[in-house]
Structure formats: C-alpha cells, structure tokens
Amino acid sequence: MTAGGADARSGHLPVMFGQALEGLRVVADGTYLDGTFGRGGHARGVLSCLGTGGRLLLMDKDPEAIAVAERDFGADPRVSIRRGSFAELGEWDATAAGLDGVLFDLGVSSPQLDVAGRGFSFGKDGPLDMRMDPDAGESAAQWLARADEVDIADVLWTYGEERMSRRIARAIVARRGEAPLTRTGELAELIAASVPRQKRAPGKPDIHPATRSFQAIRIHVNRELSDLETGLEAACEALKPGGRLAVISFHSLEDRIVKRFIAGRAKPPPANRRLPETTTFVPTLRALGGAAKADADELAGNPRARSAVLRVAEKLAEVRQ
C-alpha cells in the first residue's frame, strides 16, 4: 500500500481515505464491513488497524473486485469475502454477531470507469453495459432497447436531473428504430447531437452533454438508490451500540438519501400541534459532524474526489421503555 492507502498494483486512490478511517474509529478487536470493496484501498487501511482478534468483512457486486479481494486478502484469517450487494449484508451469517463499523463508498470505482469494456464511461468507446455485476439484470443496451420513451425520459430526469430528458429519450427511440444502440460511443454521440451545447461560466469545467444521462442510466440499471436505502437500514440494524456508519457519496441524490436517513434516526420529526403525539421519539443514531469534503491536497492528486461527500453516524444504545 502506498501513501494515502493507494493500491500499488492498481494505482487506485481510495477517496477520503484518512477521513473515512477516522470516522470509523477502528478498534483492534472490532468487526468491520466494507460493503464496496472496489480495489481495497479503504479495506487495507481498516485491516492495518486490526489485531489478531479483529475481523474484516468484504462485499462487492463486481466479480473483478472480488477476484482482487481473494488475491490480496483471501489468505488472511481475519478476512471474510462475499460477492453481492451491500443491500444483502443482513443475510450474511458473518454479520449476525454485530458490527463495529460499516463503510459504503458509493458510485463507480476508478477501475470500472477506466476499462472501456465495462461500458460506464462516455469518454471510452465500449459495449453499452454499465452493470456493476455483469452476471445480473439487464445491461444498459438491453434496457434502452425495450423501454418506452416515457420511461427513458423519467429515468434521465429522476436520476440524472437532465433537463433535456424528453428530447434525449425521443432521439434514443428514433435511433433504435433504425439500429440498436450497443456502444457507449454511439449513445454519447447521439446525446451530444440532441442537446445544445451550454456556455460555461469562465473558470468552470466543461461538462460533456452525456454526463447526466450516463449517470442516470447507470443508477437505474444497478438499482443503486434502492440498494442504498436497503443497505443503510441493514447496516443500522447490524451495528453494535457505539458502532460507526461511514458513507461516501458522489452526487446529490445519494447524499440526500444518506443525510435524511441519519437525520431521521438522530432527531425527532417536526412537531405538528394540530395532531396529538402518539409515540415518543427514541433516537438510534447520532450524527458525527456534517458533510465532510476532500481537502485540497487530495483534490490535487485525485480530481475525482471533488464531488465526494462523507457522512458519519454512531449507533446509540437501546433505551428500555
């Protein structure tokens, strides 16, 4: 492992490495779950803090990530590995005794973006796939081939906040009537031709017209937001009192879900004086600070960290009524 937790073999830089480890507050004999192993940058940091009595549980949907986990961590008796979504963490027997910390590093990993064959990047031509688990569900190409225009537009608007969602959906349906869309380059070019170029303010980076649409399709294909909601519930249930939940988000849709989840369990909802109080609110989480961002040093070495937001919460002890 290089400085900052980078994997020397892959060159992968884990985002907000130091802040995430500080948030988890790793203890030597604790049990920790990394629900988004990726290439193991954060996992290496957690493992380096564990003693012989500690345990590290690793999960990922991506078979390539699991292969790296098996290669780099499989021989360590403190480590257990499972392929699957963190939404299913409660179904893993290894979590039954409770967890001292859970980490979710959301979004697409650098290796996934950098490999054209995975179909995540509009900047690299490849098969139009976008699945984090290539053995499950529909690819982006399969979904775009069958979805109706209204559904496509709804996905682009809901998950990408794309203002030109109807125009892009109409163009996709028209194009597939001539030939199926099977390549990322084809889809990116089609979107760029459908959306007028926006003038950026001086000093602002130029954003490719396909950025929001690719994000939206990826989120839909991988059920990312519904998995996040389920995974947060499962993590909260599995955490021991005093255990920490650390979540790194990369866009406002994810962060909004995490923020509301923590707030909904940390503080009572606003009172309505017109309605009688039926139950007493009992907090189950304590928010530890607000939204943390990557510092200037990290941004200089890893520009992909610019949109990262870290939120941390602590599980509270049960209050007996």
Side-chain angles (χ1 to χ4, degrees), residues 23-79:
L24 286 173
R25 193 186 56 184
V26 180
V27 296
D29 60 350
T31 299
Y32 296 85
L33 171 75
D34 183 345
T36 49
F37 174 79
R39 291 302 180 267
H42 292 111
R44 287 178 176 81
V46 173
L47 193 60
S48 71
C49 299
L50 295 180
T52 55
R55 290 199 70 196
L56 176 60
L57 312 181
L58 304 176
M59 296 188 75
D60 206 292
K61 292 179 180 181
D62 189 337
E64 294 180 7
I66 292 299
V68 173
E70 295 283 2
R71 181 194 73 193
D72 293 355
F73 295 84
D76 194 316
R78 299 171 295 173
V79 177

Short mmCIF file of all heavy atoms in Angstrom, two decimals, residues 23-79:
data_model
loop_
_atom_site.label_atom_id
_atom_site.label_comp_id
_atom_site.label_asym_id
_atom_site.label_seq_id
_atom_site.Cartn_x
_atom_site.Cartn_y
_atom_site.Cartn_z
N GLY A 23 -13.42 8.41 10.80
CA GLY A 23 -14.84 8.30 11.09
C GLY A 23 -15.22 6.94 11.64
O GLY A 23 -16.04 6.83 12.56
N LEU A 24 -14.61 5.88 11.11
CA LEU A 24 -14.91 4.53 11.57
C LEU A 24 -14.37 4.26 12.97
O LEU A 24 -14.89 3.40 13.67
CB LEU A 24 -14.33 3.50 10.59
CG LEU A 24 -15.05 3.34 9.25
CD1 LEU A 24 -14.25 2.43 8.34
CD2 LEU A 24 -16.46 2.81 9.44
N ARG A 25 -13.29 4.96 13.34
CA ARG A 25 -12.67 4.79 14.67
C ARG A 25 -12.40 3.30 14.93
O ARG A 25 -12.92 2.68 15.87
CB ARG A 25 -13.58 5.38 15.75
CG ARG A 25 -12.92 5.54 17.12
CD ARG A 25 -13.92 5.98 18.16
NE ARG A 25 -15.05 5.08 18.26
CZ ARG A 25 -16.11 5.26 19.04
NH1 ARG A 25 -16.19 6.36 19.78
NH2 ARG A 25 -17.10 4.39 19.09
N VAL A 26 -11.55 2.73 14.11
CA VAL A 26 -11.29 1.30 14.14
C VAL A 26 -10.60 0.89 15.44
O VAL A 26 -9.60 1.50 15.84
CB VAL A 26 -10.42 0.87 12.94
CG1 VAL A 26 -10.17 -0.62 12.97
CG2 VAL A 26 -11.11 1.27 11.63
N VAL A 27 -11.13 -0.13 16.10
CA VAL A 27 -10.51 -0.71 17.29
C VAL A 27 -9.94 -2.07 16.91
O VAL A 27 -10.44 -2.76 16.02
CB VAL A 27 -11.49 -0.84 18.46
CG1 VAL A 27 -11.96 0.54 18.91
CG2 VAL A 27 -12.70 -1.70 18.08
N ALA A 28 -8.88 -2.47 17.58
CA ALA A 28 -8.09 -3.63 17.16
C ALA A 28 -8.88 -4.93 17.12
O ALA A 28 -8.64 -5.79 16.26
CB ALA A 28 -6.87 -3.78 18.07
N ASP A 29 -9.83 -5.11 18.04
CA ASP A 29 -10.56 -6.37 18.10
C ASP A 29 -11.98 -6.25 17.55
O ASP A 29 -12.84 -7.10 17.81
CB ASP A 29 -10.61 -6.90 19.54
CG ASP A 29 -11.30 -5.93 20.50
OD1 ASP A 29 -11.56 -4.78 20.10
OD2 ASP A 29 -11.57 -6.32 21.65
N GLY A 30 -12.23 -5.20 16.77
CA GLY A 30 -13.56 -4.98 16.23
C GLY A 30 -13.85 -5.75 14.95
O GLY A 30 -12.95 -6.36 14.36
N THR A 31 -15.11 -5.72 14.54
CA THR A 31 -15.55 -6.36 13.30
C THR A 31 -16.10 -5.27 12.38
O THR A 31 -17.02 -4.54 12.76
CB THR A 31 -16.64 -7.41 13.57
OG1 THR A 31 -16.12 -8.42 14.43
CG2 THR A 31 -17.10 -8.05 12.26
N TYR A 32 -15.55 -5.20 11.17
CA TYR A 32 -15.88 -4.13 10.25
C TYR A 32 -16.28 -4.69 8.89
O TYR A 32 -15.72 -5.69 8.44
CB TYR A 32 -14.69 -3.16 10.10
CG TYR A 32 -14.38 -2.48 11.40
CD1 TYR A 32 -13.55 -3.09 12.34
CD2 TYR A 32 -14.98 -1.27 11.72
CE1 TYR A 32 -13.32 -2.50 13.57
CE2 TYR A 32 -14.74 -0.66 12.94
CZ TYR A 32 -13.92 -1.28 13.87
OH TYR A 32 -13.70 -0.70 15.09
N LEU A 33 -17.23 -4.02 8.27
CA LEU A 33 -17.71 -4.40 6.93
C LEU A 33 -17.40 -3.29 5.94
O LEU A 33 -17.83 -2.15 6.14
CB LEU A 33 -19.21 -4.67 6.95
CG LEU A 33 -19.85 -4.88 5.58
CD1 LEU A 33 -19.51 -6.25 5.02
CD2 LEU A 33 -21.37 -4.71 5.63
N ASP A 34 -16.66 -3.64 4.89
CA ASP A 34 -16.50 -2.75 3.74
C ASP A 34 -17.46 -3.27 2.68
O ASP A 34 -17.21 -4.30 2.04
CB ASP A 34 -15.06 -2.78 3.24
CG ASP A 34 -14.82 -1.81 2.08
OD1 ASP A 34 -15.79 -1.35 1.47
OD2 ASP A 34 -13.64 -1.55 1.77
N GLY A 35 -18.57 -2.57 2.49
CA GLY A 35 -19.62 -3.05 1.60
C GLY A 35 -19.39 -2.76 0.14
O GLY A 35 -20.16 -3.22 -0.71
N THR A 36 -18.33 -2.00 -0.16
CA THR A 36 -17.99 -1.63 -1.54
C THR A 36 -16.48 -1.75 -1.70
O THR A 36 -15.77 -0.76 -1.78
CB THR A 36 -18.44 -0.19 -1.83
OG1 THR A 36 -17.99 0.67 -0.77
CG2 THR A 36 -19.96 -0.09 -1.92
N PHE A 37 -15.99 -2.97 -1.76
CA PHE A 37 -14.55 -3.23 -1.71
C PHE A 37 -13.78 -2.51 -2.81
O PHE A 37 -12.72 -1.95 -2.57
CB PHE A 37 -14.30 -4.74 -1.81
CG PHE A 37 -12.85 -5.11 -1.92
CD1 PHE A 37 -12.04 -5.13 -0.80
CD2 PHE A 37 -12.28 -5.42 -3.16
CE1 PHE A 37 -10.69 -5.46 -0.90
CE2 PHE A 37 -10.94 -5.75 -3.26
CZ PHE A 37 -10.15 -5.76 -2.14
N GLY A 38 -14.32 -2.50 -4.03
CA GLY A 38 -13.63 -1.83 -5.14
C GLY A 38 -12.28 -2.48 -5.42
O GLY A 38 -12.20 -3.61 -5.86
N ARG A 39 -11.20 -1.76 -5.13
CA ARG A 39 -9.86 -2.33 -5.25
C ARG A 39 -9.16 -2.36 -3.90
O ARG A 39 -7.95 -2.58 -3.83
CB ARG A 39 -9.04 -1.57 -6.29
CG ARG A 39 -9.53 -1.79 -7.73
CD ARG A 39 -9.52 -3.26 -8.12
NE ARG A 39 -9.98 -3.50 -9.47
CZ ARG A 39 -11.23 -3.79 -9.80
NH1 ARG A 39 -12.17 -3.85 -8.86
NH2 ARG A 39 -11.57 -4.00 -11.06
N GLY A 40 -9.91 -2.14 -2.82
CA GLY A 40 -9.40 -2.45 -1.49
C GLY A 40 -8.63 -1.37 -0.78
O GLY A 40 -8.01 -1.65 0.25
N GLY A 41 -8.65 -0.14 -1.27
CA GLY A 41 -7.89 0.91 -0.62
C GLY A 41 -8.33 1.15 0.82
O GLY A 41 -7.49 1.16 1.73
N HIS A 42 -9.63 1.33 1.03
CA HIS A 42 -10.12 1.54 2.39
C HIS A 42 -9.96 0.27 3.23
O HIS A 42 -9.62 0.34 4.42
CB HIS A 42 -11.59 1.95 2.37
CG HIS A 42 -11.84 3.30 1.79
ND1 HIS A 42 -12.47 3.48 0.58
CD2 HIS A 42 -11.53 4.55 2.24
CE1 HIS A 42 -12.55 4.77 0.32
NE2 HIS A 42 -11.98 5.44 1.30
N ALA A 43 -10.19 -0.89 2.61
CA ALA A 43 -10.07 -2.15 3.34
C ALA A 43 -8.67 -2.34 3.89
O ALA A 43 -8.48 -2.82 5.02
CB ALA A 43 -10.46 -3.31 2.43
N ARG A 44 -7.66 -1.99 3.10
CA ARG A 44 -6.28 -2.12 3.56
C ARG A 44 -6.04 -1.25 4.79
O ARG A 44 -5.33 -1.63 5.73
CB ARG A 44 -5.31 -1.73 2.44
CG ARG A 44 -5.20 -2.77 1.35
CD ARG A 44 -4.26 -2.33 0.23
NE ARG A 44 -4.10 -3.39 -0.74
CZ ARG A 44 -4.97 -3.65 -1.72
NH1 ARG A 44 -6.04 -2.89 -1.85
NH2 ARG A 44 -4.77 -4.66 -2.54
N GLY A 45 -6.63 -0.05 4.77
CA GLY A 45 -6.48 0.83 5.91
C GLY A 45 -7.12 0.26 7.17
O GLY A 45 -6.54 0.32 8.26
N VAL A 46 -8.33 -0.29 7.04
CA VAL A 46 -9.00 -0.90 8.18
C VAL A 46 -8.19 -2.07 8.70
O VAL A 46 -7.96 -2.21 9.91
CB VAL A 46 -10.43 -1.34 7.81
CG1 VAL A 46 -11.07 -2.12 8.95
CG2 VAL A 46 -11.30 -0.13 7.45
N LEU A 47 -7.73 -2.94 7.80
CA LEU A 47 -7.01 -4.14 8.20
C LEU A 47 -5.72 -3.79 8.93
O LEU A 47 -5.31 -4.49 9.87
CB LEU A 47 -6.72 -5.01 6.98
CG LEU A 47 -6.26 -6.45 7.25
CD1 LEU A 47 -7.31 -7.22 8.05
CD2 LEU A 47 -5.95 -7.17 5.94
N SER A 48 -5.08 -2.71 8.52
CA SER A 48 -3.83 -2.32 9.16
C SER A 48 -4.04 -1.90 10.61
O SER A 48 -3.08 -1.87 11.40
CB SER A 48 -3.18 -1.18 8.38
OG SER A 48 -3.91 0.03 8.53
N CYS A 49 -5.29 -1.57 10.97
CA CYS A 49 -5.60 -1.16 12.34
C CYS A 49 -6.08 -2.31 13.22
O CYS A 49 -6.25 -2.14 14.43
CB CYS A 49 -6.67 -0.07 12.34
SG CYS A 49 -6.22 1.45 11.47
N LEU A 50 -6.35 -3.47 12.60
CA LEU A 50 -6.90 -4.61 13.34
C LEU A 50 -5.79 -5.48 13.93
O LEU A 50 -4.74 -5.67 13.33
CB LEU A 50 -7.78 -5.46 12.44
CG LEU A 50 -9.06 -4.82 11.90
CD1 LEU A 50 -9.82 -5.80 11.01
CD2 LEU A 50 -9.95 -4.34 13.05
N GLY A 51 -6.07 -6.04 15.10
CA GLY A 51 -5.19 -7.02 15.70
C GLY A 51 -5.62 -8.42 15.30
O GLY A 51 -6.47 -8.62 14.43
N THR A 52 -5.06 -9.41 15.98
CA THR A 52 -5.37 -10.81 15.64
C THR A 52 -6.82 -11.16 15.95
O THR A 52 -7.37 -12.08 15.36
CB THR A 52 -4.44 -11.76 16.41
OG1 THR A 52 -4.55 -11.48 17.82
CG2 THR A 52 -3.00 -11.57 15.97
N GLY A 53 -7.45 -10.42 16.85
CA GLY A 53 -8.85 -10.70 17.20
C GLY A 53 -9.85 -9.92 16.38
O GLY A 53 -11.07 -10.12 16.55
N GLY A 54 -9.38 -9.07 15.48
CA GLY A 54 -10.30 -8.29 14.65
C GLY A 54 -10.77 -9.05 13.44
O GLY A 54 -10.19 -10.07 13.06
N ARG A 55 -11.84 -8.56 12.84
CA ARG A 55 -12.37 -9.20 11.63
C ARG A 55 -12.74 -8.12 10.62
O ARG A 55 -13.25 -7.06 10.97
CB ARG A 55 -13.62 -10.03 11.94
CG ARG A 55 -13.37 -11.29 12.74
CD ARG A 55 -14.53 -12.25 12.59
NE ARG A 55 -14.61 -12.80 11.26
CZ ARG A 55 -15.68 -13.43 10.77
NH1 ARG A 55 -16.78 -13.52 11.49
NH2 ARG A 55 -15.68 -13.91 9.55
N LEU A 56 -12.51 -8.45 9.35
CA LEU A 56 -12.86 -7.56 8.24
C LEU A 56 -13.71 -8.34 7.26
O LEU A 56 -13.28 -9.37 6.72
CB LEU A 56 -11.60 -7.03 7.56
CG LEU A 56 -11.82 -6.15 6.32
CD1 LEU A 56 -12.63 -4.90 6.67
CD2 LEU A 56 -10.48 -5.76 5.70
N LEU A 57 -14.92 -7.86 7.00
CA LEU A 57 -15.85 -8.47 6.06
C LEU A 57 -15.89 -7.63 4.80
O LEU A 57 -16.08 -6.41 4.87
CB LEU A 57 -17.25 -8.58 6.67
CG LEU A 57 -17.34 -9.15 8.08
CD1 LEU A 57 -18.80 -9.20 8.54
CD2 LEU A 57 -16.71 -10.53 8.15
N LEU A 58 -15.72 -8.27 3.65
CA LEU A 58 -15.64 -7.56 2.38
C LEU A 58 -16.77 -7.99 1.47
O LEU A 58 -17.00 -9.19 1.29
CB LEU A 58 -14.29 -7.84 1.70
CG LEU A 58 -13.05 -7.52 2.52
CD1 LEU A 58 -11.79 -7.93 1.76
CD2 LEU A 58 -13.00 -6.04 2.88
N MET A 59 -17.45 -7.01 0.86
CA MET A 59 -18.51 -7.29 -0.10
C MET A 59 -18.32 -6.44 -1.34
O MET A 59 -17.79 -5.33 -1.27
CB MET A 59 -19.90 -6.99 0.49
CG MET A 59 -20.32 -7.83 1.65
SD MET A 59 -22.06 -7.54 2.11
CE MET A 59 -22.91 -8.42 0.80
N ASP A 60 -18.75 -6.95 -2.48
CA ASP A 60 -18.81 -6.17 -3.72
C ASP A 60 -19.64 -6.95 -4.73
O ASP A 60 -19.60 -8.19 -4.74
CB ASP A 60 -17.42 -5.91 -4.29
CG ASP A 60 -17.38 -4.63 -5.14
OD1 ASP A 60 -18.02 -4.65 -6.23
OD2 ASP A 60 -16.75 -3.66 -4.74
N LYS A 61 -20.38 -6.22 -5.58
CA LYS A 61 -21.14 -6.85 -6.67
C LYS A 61 -20.23 -7.33 -7.79
O LYS A 61 -20.56 -8.27 -8.52
CB LYS A 61 -22.12 -5.85 -7.27
CG LYS A 61 -23.26 -5.39 -6.41
CD LYS A 61 -24.09 -4.39 -7.22
CE LYS A 61 -25.28 -3.86 -6.47
NZ LYS A 61 -26.05 -2.90 -7.29
N ASP A 62 -19.12 -6.64 -7.96
CA ASP A 62 -18.27 -6.79 -9.14
C ASP A 62 -17.36 -8.01 -9.00
O ASP A 62 -16.55 -8.08 -8.07
CB ASP A 62 -17.43 -5.52 -9.29
CG ASP A 62 -16.66 -5.47 -10.60
OD1 ASP A 62 -16.41 -6.54 -11.18
OD2 ASP A 62 -16.31 -4.35 -11.03
N PRO A 63 -17.46 -9.00 -9.91
CA PRO A 63 -16.60 -10.17 -9.81
C PRO A 63 -15.12 -9.84 -9.92
O PRO A 63 -14.28 -10.54 -9.34
CB PRO A 63 -17.06 -11.07 -10.97
CG PRO A 63 -17.75 -10.14 -11.93
CD PRO A 63 -18.36 -9.08 -11.07
N GLU A 64 -14.77 -8.79 -10.66
CA GLU A 64 -13.37 -8.40 -10.75
C GLU A 64 -12.86 -7.88 -9.41
O GLU A 64 -11.72 -8.15 -9.01
CB GLU A 64 -13.18 -7.35 -11.85
CG GLU A 64 -13.47 -7.88 -13.25
CD GLU A 64 -13.28 -6.82 -14.32
OE1 GLU A 64 -12.79 -5.72 -14.00
OE2 GLU A 64 -13.63 -7.09 -15.48
N ALA A 65 -13.70 -7.14 -8.70
CA ALA A 65 -13.32 -6.67 -7.37
C ALA A 65 -13.16 -7.84 -6.40
O ALA A 65 -12.22 -7.87 -5.60
CB ALA A 65 -14.37 -5.69 -6.85
N ILE A 66 -14.06 -8.80 -6.49
CA ILE A 66 -13.97 -9.97 -5.61
C ILE A 66 -12.70 -10.76 -5.91
O ILE A 66 -12.05 -11.29 -4.99
CB ILE A 66 -15.22 -10.84 -5.76
CG1 ILE A 66 -16.45 -10.11 -5.20
CG2 ILE A 66 -15.04 -12.19 -5.05
CD1 ILE A 66 -16.37 -9.76 -3.73
N ALA A 67 -12.32 -10.84 -7.18
CA ALA A 67 -11.07 -11.53 -7.53
C ALA A 67 -9.87 -10.85 -6.89
O ALA A 67 -8.95 -11.51 -6.40
CB ALA A 67 -10.92 -11.59 -9.05
N VAL A 68 -9.87 -9.52 -6.88
CA VAL A 68 -8.79 -8.78 -6.22
C VAL A 68 -8.81 -9.03 -4.72
O VAL A 68 -7.76 -9.22 -4.09
CB VAL A 68 -8.91 -7.27 -6.52
CG1 VAL A 68 -7.89 -6.47 -5.69
CG2 VAL A 68 -8.70 -7.00 -8.01
N ALA A 69 -10.00 -9.04 -4.13
CA ALA A 69 -10.12 -9.30 -2.70
C ALA A 69 -9.57 -10.68 -2.35
O ALA A 69 -8.84 -10.84 -1.36
CB ALA A 69 -11.58 -9.19 -2.27
N GLU A 70 -9.91 -11.68 -3.15
CA GLU A 70 -9.41 -13.04 -2.90
C GLU A 70 -7.89 -13.09 -3.05
O GLU A 70 -7.20 -13.74 -2.25
CB GLU A 70 -10.08 -14.03 -3.86
CG GLU A 70 -11.57 -14.20 -3.68
CD GLU A 70 -11.92 -15.06 -2.48
OE1 GLU A 70 -11.00 -15.50 -1.77
OE2 GLU A 70 -13.13 -15.29 -2.25
N ARG A 71 -7.38 -12.41 -4.05
CA ARG A 71 -5.93 -12.41 -4.30
C ARG A 71 -5.16 -11.74 -3.17
O ARG A 71 -4.14 -12.26 -2.69
CB ARG A 71 -5.64 -11.69 -5.61
CG ARG A 71 -4.17 -11.62 -6.01
CD ARG A 71 -3.96 -10.60 -7.12
NE ARG A 71 -4.08 -9.22 -6.61
CZ ARG A 71 -4.19 -8.15 -7.40
NH1 ARG A 71 -4.25 -8.28 -8.70
NH2 ARG A 71 -4.27 -6.94 -6.85
N ASP A 72 -5.65 -10.57 -2.74
CA ASP A 72 -4.90 -9.76 -1.80
C ASP A 72 -5.23 -10.03 -0.33
O ASP A 72 -4.40 -9.74 0.54
CB ASP A 72 -5.13 -8.28 -2.09
CG ASP A 72 -4.55 -7.84 -3.43
OD1 ASP A 72 -3.89 -8.66 -4.09
OD2 ASP A 72 -4.79 -6.68 -3.82
N PHE A 73 -6.43 -10.55 -0.06
CA PHE A 73 -6.87 -10.70 1.33
C PHE A 73 -7.29 -12.13 1.68
O PHE A 73 -7.50 -12.42 2.85
CB PHE A 73 -8.07 -9.78 1.61
CG PHE A 73 -7.76 -8.32 1.52
CD1 PHE A 73 -7.77 -7.66 0.30
CD2 PHE A 73 -7.48 -7.59 2.66
CE1 PHE A 73 -7.51 -6.30 0.22
CE2 PHE A 73 -7.21 -6.24 2.59
CZ PHE A 73 -7.22 -5.59 1.37
N GLY A 74 -7.43 -13.00 0.68
CA GLY A 74 -8.02 -14.32 0.92
C GLY A 74 -7.26 -15.18 1.90
O GLY A 74 -7.85 -16.03 2.57
N ALA A 75 -5.96 -14.99 2.01
CA ALA A 75 -5.15 -15.82 2.90
C ALA A 75 -5.15 -15.32 4.35
O ALA A 75 -4.63 -16.01 5.23
CB ALA A 75 -3.71 -15.89 2.38
N ASP A 76 -5.72 -14.17 4.59
CA ASP A 76 -5.71 -13.60 5.95
C ASP A 76 -6.88 -14.18 6.74
O ASP A 76 -8.04 -14.00 6.35
CB ASP A 76 -5.82 -12.08 5.87
CG ASP A 76 -5.50 -11.39 7.19
OD1 ASP A 76 -5.97 -11.87 8.24
OD2 ASP A 76 -4.78 -10.37 7.16
N PRO A 77 -6.63 -14.86 7.86
CA PRO A 77 -7.71 -15.49 8.62
C PRO A 77 -8.69 -14.49 9.22
O PRO A 77 -9.79 -14.87 9.64
CB PRO A 77 -6.97 -16.27 9.70
CG PRO A 77 -5.64 -15.58 9.83
CD PRO A 77 -5.31 -15.09 8.47
N ARG A 78 -8.32 -13.21 9.26
CA ARG A 78 -9.23 -12.20 9.82
C ARG A 78 -10.27 -11.73 8.81
O ARG A 78 -11.20 -11.00 9.17
CB ARG A 78 -8.41 -10.99 10.29
CG ARG A 78 -7.40 -11.28 11.38
CD ARG A 78 -6.50 -10.07 11.61
NE ARG A 78 -5.68 -9.78 10.44
CZ ARG A 78 -4.90 -8.71 10.33
NH1 ARG A 78 -4.85 -7.83 11.31
NH2 ARG A 78 -4.18 -8.52 9.23
N VAL A 79 -10.11 -12.13 7.55
CA VAL A 79 -10.93 -11.60 6.46
C VAL A 79 -11.92 -12.63 5.94
O VAL A 79 -11.56 -13.80 5.74
CB VAL A 79 -10.03 -11.11 5.31
CG1 VAL A 79 -10.88 -10.62 4.13
CG2 VAL A 79 -9.09 -10.00 5.79
#
